[in-house]
Amino acid sequence: MSLVDLIAQADERGLAASGLACLDRCVPLLGGDDEILRPLWGNLTEASDAADWGGTLDLIRGKLGEADGADDGGDEAVLLARRMLAAAPAERTGAQVRLWADACSVASLQIHRLLDPADDPATIDSRRAGRTQDMPPLAAAELRRQITVLEVVAGHGAGGLRRALEVSVEGRRVLRAVVSRRARGRK
């Protein structure tokens, strides 16, 4: 099943996990630590109150700085990550979360394409639709992670959140290494 199909079929929790996982993997671009989004992950559990999502989100936005682009240094990848954070809905409801998850999917794939030294001749839409032949490795791995997050949450509900978080942590480590290598290359 394509990523587009998985997003279309996902429930509210799956969509929130999908968008959050994309943002989580891109946290190194925002200067956040590995635990910065943990409270939002906790808000997706069975015992959580969806009404707490907005307040938690506001606290995290405050810690990561405003999404005004002032400190992105003209870096498109950083700007896209800031937009993901800025676009996160204040309420964790199906329609709002669906739009955010879809936008985060596109933005995160674009970030990974920007950071991958290999060019990708295909469009992001074609990649999300399942055409992955000759896809650059960094972006291909991101696509697989997005699919995995949606599949484990769809298959296991709140019980799949741990695996979704593990997938996100793995991707964050990879992106942190890429960002670090890129920063060293600019010096």
Side-chain angles (χ1 to χ4, degrees):
M1 192 177 298
S2 76
L3 178 59
V4 172
D5 293 334
L6 288 168
I7 290 172
Q9 295 178 7
D11 65 6
E12 181 183 301
R13 178 179 285 117
L15 293 166
S18 177
L20 183 55
C22 289
L23 178 60
D24 199 354
R25 287 188 294 277
C26 295
V27 159
L29 292 165
L30 301 175
D33 66 38
D34 290 346
E35 299 297 315
I36 190 81
L37 298 179
R38 187 67 67 136
L40 285 175
W41 281 104
N43 185 261
L44 299 179
T45 64
E46 292 287 345
S48 68
D49 182 355
D52 294 339
W53 172 271
T56 303
L57 181 61
D58 287 343
L59 291 172
I60 291 168
R61 283 180 175 142
K63 290 177 183 177
L64 289 174
E66 293 301 315
D68 60 7
D71 53 349
D72 67 12
D75 188 323
E76 187 178 353
V78 174
L79 181 60
L80 287 168
R82 289 206 175 283
R83 286 181 182 162
M84 274 195 279
L85 178 60
E91 294 181 15
R92 201 184 83 196
T93 60
Q96 292 178 346
V97 178
R98 184 171 306 283
L99 291 172
W100 181 59
D102 193 57
C104 286
S105 169
V106 171
S108 187
L109 282 168
Q110 181 61 21
I111 287 167
H112 284 77
R113 285 169 56 134
L114 289 168
L115 298 176
D116 199 317
D119 286 330
D120 189 357
T123 65
I124 287 178
D125 288 341
S126 70
R127 297 308 191 191
R128 293 178 66 217
R131 293 182 287 282
T132 60
Q133 184 177 358
D134 299 323
M135 193 171 183
L138 190 62
E142 172 59 14
L143 181 67
R144 284 191 303 272
R145 287 183 187 100
Q146 288 187 28
I147 289 169
T148 300
V149 166
L150 285 161
E151 288 176 342
V152 298
V153 176
H156 303 286
L161 290 174
R162 181 179 305 267
R163 176 68 183 130
L165 181 57
E166 289 169 359
V167 168
S168 187
V169 166
E170 171 194 349
R172 186 180 340 112
R173 287 181 183 142
V174 169
L175 196 67
R176 191 174 302 283
V178 169
V179 168
S180 177
R181 189 170 43 248
R182 186 174 79 151
R184 284 193 306 270
R186 288 182 175 174
K187 292 181 181 180

